[in-house]
Structure formats: structure tokens, C-alpha cells
Tab-separated table of all heavy atoms in Angstrom:
chain	number	residue	atom	x	y	z
L	29	MET	N	-0.306	1.368	-10.496
L	29	MET	CA	-0.746	1.683	-9.168
L	29	MET	C	0.304	2.502	-8.472
L	29	MET	O	1.520	2.166	-8.608
L	29	MET	CB	-1.092	0.355	-8.373
L	29	MET	CG	-1.554	0.656	-7.010
L	29	MET	SD	-2.092	-0.727	-5.993
L	29	MET	CE	-2.990	-1.724	-7.072
L	30	THR	N	-0.080	3.401	-7.663
L	30	THR	CA	0.804	4.200	-6.865
L	30	THR	C	0.526	3.940	-5.390
L	30	THR	O	-0.653	4.089	-4.995
L	30	THR	CB	0.747	5.689	-7.122
L	30	THR	OG1	1.017	5.936	-8.509
L	30	THR	CG2	1.709	6.467	-6.300
L	31	PHE	N	1.497	3.511	-4.627
L	31	PHE	CA	1.315	3.308	-3.182
L	31	PHE	C	1.688	4.543	-2.406
L	31	PHE	O	2.650	5.235	-2.796
L	31	PHE	CB	2.171	2.097	-2.739
L	31	PHE	CG	1.689	0.773	-3.278
L	31	PHE	CD1	2.385	0.131	-4.293
L	31	PHE	CD2	0.580	0.117	-2.763
L	31	PHE	CE1	1.943	-1.028	-4.816
L	31	PHE	CE2	0.150	-1.071	-3.272
L	31	PHE	CZ	0.831	-1.660	-4.274
L	32	SER	N	0.941	4.796	-1.332
L	32	SER	CA	1.220	5.979	-0.484
L	32	SER	C	1.084	5.500	0.933
L	32	SER	O	0.375	4.539	1.248
L	32	SER	CB	0.219	7.092	-0.742
L	32	SER	OG	0.343	7.539	-2.093
L	33	GLY	N	1.781	6.221	1.839
L	33	GLY	CA	1.685	5.969	3.249
L	33	GLY	C	2.433	4.673	3.665
L	33	GLY	O	3.289	4.255	2.926
L	34	GLY	N	2.024	4.038	4.766
L	34	GLY	CA	2.721	2.924	5.276
L	34	GLY	C	2.213	1.611	4.764
L	34	GLY	O	1.089	1.183	5.100
L	35	ILE	N	3.003	0.906	3.924
L	35	ILE	CA	2.654	-0.401	3.438
L	35	ILE	C	3.933	-1.266	3.444
L	35	ILE	O	5.002	-0.808	2.961
L	35	ILE	CB	2.113	-0.414	1.983
L	35	ILE	CG1	0.822	0.442	1.909
L	35	ILE	CG2	1.833	-1.756	1.442
L	35	ILE	CD1	0.381	0.744	0.509
L	36	THR	N	3.876	-2.427	4.047
L	36	THR	CA	5.033	-3.352	4.041
L	36	THR	C	4.816	-4.448	3.065
L	36	THR	O	3.783	-5.166	3.177
L	36	THR	CB	5.181	-3.938	5.479
L	36	THR	OG1	5.346	-2.843	6.429
L	36	THR	CG2	6.401	-4.837	5.512
L	37	HIS	N	5.685	-4.565	2.118
L	37	HIS	CA	5.602	-5.649	1.103
L	37	HIS	C	6.551	-6.787	1.530
L	37	HIS	O	7.673	-6.557	1.941
L	37	HIS	CB	6.046	-5.152	-0.279
L	37	HIS	CG	5.129	-4.037	-0.806
L	37	HIS	ND1	4.047	-4.302	-1.610
L	37	HIS	CD2	5.177	-2.715	-0.654
L	37	HIS	CE1	3.449	-3.185	-1.937
L	37	HIS	NE2	4.090	-2.169	-1.352
L	38	SER	N	6.012	-8.004	1.456
L	38	SER	CA	6.887	-9.178	1.828
L	38	SER	C	6.449	-10.379	0.967
L	38	SER	O	5.536	-10.251	0.135
L	38	SER	CB	6.632	-9.497	3.333
L	38	SER	OG	5.308	-10.063	3.560
L	39	SER	N	7.012	-11.505	1.276
L	39	SER	CA	6.708	-12.725	0.489
L	39	SER	C	5.249	-13.248	0.686
L	39	SER	O	4.764	-14.008	-0.101
L	39	SER	CB	7.699	-13.851	0.851
L	39	SER	OG	7.579	-14.187	2.220
L	40	THR	N	4.577	-12.705	1.762
L	40	THR	CA	3.204	-13.138	2.039
L	40	THR	C	2.196	-12.156	1.476
L	40	THR	O	1.012	-12.439	1.458
L	40	THR	CB	2.995	-13.364	3.497
L	40	THR	OG1	3.286	-12.152	4.230
L	40	THR	CG2	3.807	-14.486	4.062
L	41	GLY	N	2.596	-11.012	1.003
L	41	GLY	CA	1.657	-10.034	0.446
L	41	GLY	C	2.080	-8.584	0.809
L	41	GLY	O	3.190	-8.291	1.174
L	42	ALA	N	1.050	-7.713	0.758
L	42	ALA	CA	1.246	-6.312	1.091
L	42	ALA	C	0.359	-6.022	2.308
L	42	ALA	O	-0.838	-6.326	2.390
L	42	ALA	CB	0.738	-5.430	-0.086
L	43	LEU	N	1.009	-5.484	3.351
L	43	LEU	CA	0.365	-5.190	4.591
L	43	LEU	C	0.291	-3.685	4.803
L	43	LEU	O	1.272	-3.013	5.118
L	43	LEU	CB	1.117	-5.864	5.782
L	43	LEU	CG	0.551	-5.634	7.202
L	43	LEU	CD1	-0.847	-6.247	7.314
L	43	LEU	CD2	1.525	-6.254	8.223
L	44	PRO	N	-0.921	-3.101	4.698
L	44	PRO	CA	-1.118	-1.675	4.970
L	44	PRO	C	-1.107	-1.410	6.493
L	44	PRO	O	-1.463	-2.264	7.271
L	44	PRO	CB	-2.379	-1.333	4.341
L	44	PRO	CG	-3.200	-2.586	4.349
L	44	PRO	CD	-2.189	-3.685	4.297
L	45	ASN	N	-0.679	-0.226	6.906
L	45	ASN	CA	-0.581	0.101	8.356
L	45	ASN	C	-1.911	0.500	9.022
L	45	ASN	O	-1.964	0.658	10.238
L	45	ASN	CB	0.439	1.241	8.549
L	45	ASN	CG	0.026	2.554	8.000
L	45	ASN	OD1	-1.063	2.707	7.469
L	45	ASN	ND2	0.929	3.525	8.059
L	46	GLY	N	-2.979	0.589	8.279
L	46	GLY	CA	-4.273	0.888	8.875
L	46	GLY	C	-4.579	2.327	9.116
L	46	GLY	O	-5.646	2.689	9.624
L	47	SER	N	-3.623	3.213	8.826
L	47	SER	CA	-3.851	4.635	9.090
L	47	SER	C	-3.491	5.588	7.900
L	47	SER	O	-4.087	6.616	7.762
L	47	SER	CB	-3.112	5.108	10.299
L	47	SER	OG	-1.705	4.926	10.191
L	48	THR	N	-2.522	5.206	7.085
L	48	THR	CA	-2.143	6.075	5.971
L	48	THR	C	-1.865	5.287	4.687
L	48	THR	O	-1.778	5.870	3.609
L	48	THR	CB	-0.845	6.901	6.290
L	48	THR	OG1	0.225	5.958	6.554
L	48	THR	CG2	-1.056	7.759	7.492
L	49	GLY	N	-1.676	3.959	4.783
L	49	GLY	CA	-1.280	3.161	3.618
L	49	GLY	C	-2.404	2.799	2.695
L	49	GLY	O	-3.448	2.289	3.121
L	50	TYR	N	-2.215	3.125	1.429
L	50	TYR	CA	-3.275	2.708	0.412
L	50	TYR	C	-2.582	2.721	-1.005
L	50	TYR	O	-1.493	3.229	-1.128
L	50	TYR	CB	-4.478	3.648	0.445
L	50	TYR	CG	-4.232	5.016	-0.172
L	50	TYR	CD1	-4.624	5.320	-1.460
L	50	TYR	CD2	-3.618	6.025	0.560
L	50	TYR	CE1	-4.431	6.549	-2.057
L	50	TYR	CE2	-3.419	7.266	0.017
L	50	TYR	CZ	-3.843	7.509	-1.246
L	50	TYR	OH	-3.578	8.784	-1.797
L	51	GLY	N	-3.266	2.092	-1.944
L	51	GLY	CA	-2.770	2.135	-3.316
L	51	GLY	C	-3.839	2.775	-4.207
L	51	GLY	O	-5.059	2.415	-4.109
L	52	LYS	N	-3.400	3.629	-5.076
L	52	LYS	CA	-4.325	4.341	-5.998
L	52	LYS	C	-4.205	3.621	-7.290
L	52	LYS	O	-3.130	3.562	-7.915
L	52	LYS	CB	-3.890	5.804	-6.148
L	52	LYS	CG	-4.775	6.656	-6.972
L	52	LYS	CD	-4.273	8.060	-6.990
L	52	LYS	CE	-5.197	8.959	-7.841
L	52	LYS	NZ	-4.750	10.373	-7.789
L	53	THR	N	-5.313	3.010	-7.771
L	53	THR	CA	-5.253	2.177	-8.967
L	53	THR	C	-5.325	3.020	-10.315
L	53	THR	O	-4.951	2.441	-11.341
L	53	THR	CB	-6.411	1.191	-9.050
L	53	THR	OG1	-7.624	1.875	-9.207
L	53	THR	CG2	-6.459	0.327	-7.759
L	54	PHE	N	-5.817	4.200	-10.272
L	54	PHE	CA	-6.058	5.024	-11.429
L	54	PHE	C	-7.169	4.438	-12.310
L	54	PHE	O	-7.347	4.881	-13.461
L	54	PHE	CB	-4.778	5.229	-12.252
L	54	PHE	CG	-3.707	6.010	-11.499
L	54	PHE	CD1	-2.702	5.327	-10.814
L	54	PHE	CD2	-3.808	7.354	-11.373
L	54	PHE	CE1	-1.774	5.995	-10.064
L	54	PHE	CE2	-2.816	8.091	-10.679
L	54	PHE	CZ	-1.813	7.376	-10.056
């Protein structure tokens, strides 16, 4: 998977920013 845009990774999971963040699974 390739992540693009705004995503914050933490101990609780991955938090996308709601405007540019996403993951491309291929």
C-alpha cells in the first residue's frame, strides 16, 4: 500500500485528514 496526503499514524491507528489522505492498495 502507498499512502498519500495527510495521514497521522499512531498507537491507536491511522487517521486520515479528510481532504487529501488516502491509501492506494494496488
Side-chain angles (χ1 to χ4, degrees):
M29 180 177 319
T30 300
F31 292 103
S32 299
I35 300 171
T36 303
H37 296 269
S38 71
S39 62
T40 57
L43 179 63
N45 66 5
S47 60
T48 61
Y50 74 100
K52 185 176 181 179
T53 69
F54 296 96

